[in-house]
Structures are given as structure tokens and as C-alpha cells.
């Protein structure tokens, strides 16, 4: 066993140390980049969640009320939400990216197509003699779309 350690010691005496220093430096740089990327990812997730929770506070997570002129209300908030969507998109794993894009497109389309008339029609109780509407409740659809977007913030 002593011979083994002596061989290793002789090896380190004859080999130059600069390759080990370079590999050590590269390891430190890689660790620093990983720390910075983790902080950026955490910041992107927090911004995305905060935007949804602040901008849509009346409607999510607990639905309090639909604002007047819902189409305008939602479309005005879409650009900021889209910016946070794009920032978070960088940190989404490649295999989840198509689903993330589809969830955003579904949410965006829902926000653009939702009108006060659709909400009023959904909130009216069905009159006797009329069949119930086949349209899903906008509240449920809205919550489902938000949940689909937020599930992408829970990755490892």
C-alpha cells in the first residue's frame, strides 16, 4: 500500500500543475454560472406568479368578481404577462416547451375572446323549458387555464 502512495506522490512531483489549476478554475466558473442561473430562474418564476396573482387578484386564486369590460381588462394585462411568459420560457425544459406554449396560447385566446355577454349568459340560471347551455362556465375555464400555466413553475 505504501508503494501505491509513493507512485502517486512521484507522479505529482513530475507532472506540471497548470492543468489542475485550469480545471479547478473552470469548475469554480461553472459553479458560479449555475448559481446565477438558479437565481435567474427563481426570479423568473416569482415574477410570473406575482404577475398572475397581482394582475388577476379579483379572479384568481379565489374568484371574487368579474371586472366590467372583461375583454379590455384582460387584454391590457396580456403584454406584461407575455413578457414574464417569455422570460420564464428560457428556463422551461425542452421536453415541456410545447405544452407550455400551448397553455399560454389557450390562455391568451380565452382572454381575447371572453366578453361580458358570455359571462352574463353563463351566470343566468337556465329558464324552465330551455335546455342548459353546452358552454362551460368561464370561471372554471379561467381557473383551469391559470392552473395549467402555473404548473410549469413547479419543476426541479
Amino acid at each position: 500500500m505504501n508503494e501505491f502512495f509513493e507512485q502517486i506522490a512521484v507522479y505529482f512531483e513530475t507532472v506540471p500543475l497548470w492543468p489542475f489549476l485550469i480545471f479547478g478554475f473552470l469548475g469554480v466558473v461553472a459553479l458560479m454560472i449555475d448559481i446565477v442561473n438558479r437565481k435567474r430562474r427563481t426570479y423568473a418564476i416569482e415574477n410570473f406568479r406575482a404577475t398572475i396573482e397581482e394582475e388577476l387578484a379579483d379572479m384568481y386564486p379565489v374568484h371574487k368578481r368579474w371586472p366590467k369590460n372583461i375583454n379590455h381588462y384582460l387584454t391590457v394585462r396580456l403584454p406584461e404577462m407575455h413578457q414574464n411568459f417569455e422570460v420564464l420560457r428560457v428556463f422551461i425544459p425542452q421536453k415541456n416547451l410545447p405544452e407550455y406554449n400551448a397553455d399560454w396560447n389557450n390562455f391568451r385566446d380565452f382572454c381575447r375572446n371572453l366578453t361580458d355577454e358570455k359571462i352574463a349568459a353563463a351566470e343566468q340560471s337556465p329558464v324552465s323549458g330551455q335546455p342548459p347551455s353546452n358552454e362551460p362556465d368561464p370561471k372554471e375555464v379561467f381557473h383551469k387555464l391559470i392552473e395549467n400555466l402555473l404548473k410549469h413553475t413547479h419543476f426541479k
Side-chain angles (χ1 to χ4, degrees):
M1 188 73 149
N2 234 358
E3 292 175 23
F4 177 71
F5 288 120
E6 286 177 20
Q7 286 178 346
I8 292 175
V10 170
Y11 176 75
F12 280 109
E13 289 174 3
T14 58
V15 172
L17 292 179
W18 64 267
F20 296 108
L21 292 175
I22 289 176
F23 285 129
F25 177 73
L26 290 176
V28 169
V29 168
L31 183 63
M32 290 172 38
I33 289 172
D34 186 53
I35 290 170
V36 168
N37 280 340
R38 285 176 188 253
K39 286 183 180 181
R40 287 179 54 217
R41 183 180 77 183
T42 302
Y43 181 70
I45 289 171
E46 288 172 358
N47 265 355
F48 188 74
R49 293 182 76 71
T51 301
I52 289 175
E53 290 168 359
E54 291 169 8
E55 297 293 330
L56 306 174
D58 287 340
M59 299 177 286
Y60 188 85
V62 177
H63 187 86
K64 298 173 188 168
R65 65 179 177 85
W66 289 109
K68 299 284 186 204
N69 197 356
I70 188 70
N71 186 278
H72 178 72
Y73 180 86
L74 290 174
T75 53
V76 165
R77 284 153 178 80
L78 279 177
E80 183 180 351
M81 293 176 71
H82 185 263
Q83 179 183 357
N84 289 327
F85 163 82
E86 290 294 333
V87 170
L88 182 60
R89 179 188 215 163
V90 173
F91 300 103
I92 299 293
Q94 189 69 33
K95 65 181 180 181
N96 299 342
L97 207 50
E99 184 181 359
Y100 181 65
N101 290 333
D103 289 339
W104 171 257
N105 290 336
N106 291 337
F107 176 75
R108 186 192 63 211
D109 293 343
F110 176 81
C111 290
R112 289 181 177 166
N113 295 328
L114 186 63
T115 61
D116 291 332
E117 291 80 23
K118 288 182 182 179
I119 292 170
E123 289 178 349
Q124 289 178 353
S125 60
V127 179
S128 60
Q130 286 185 339
S133 172
N134 289 337
E135 291 291 320
D137 184 18
K139 292 177 192 172
E140 293 175 11
V141 173
F142 182 78
H143 280 262
K144 180 66 176 158
L145 292 171
I146 295 289
E147 288 170 9
N148 287 346
L149 283 174
L150 289 178
K151 77 180 176 187
H152 298 286
T153 62
H154 299 293
F155 55 86
K156 296 179 182 179

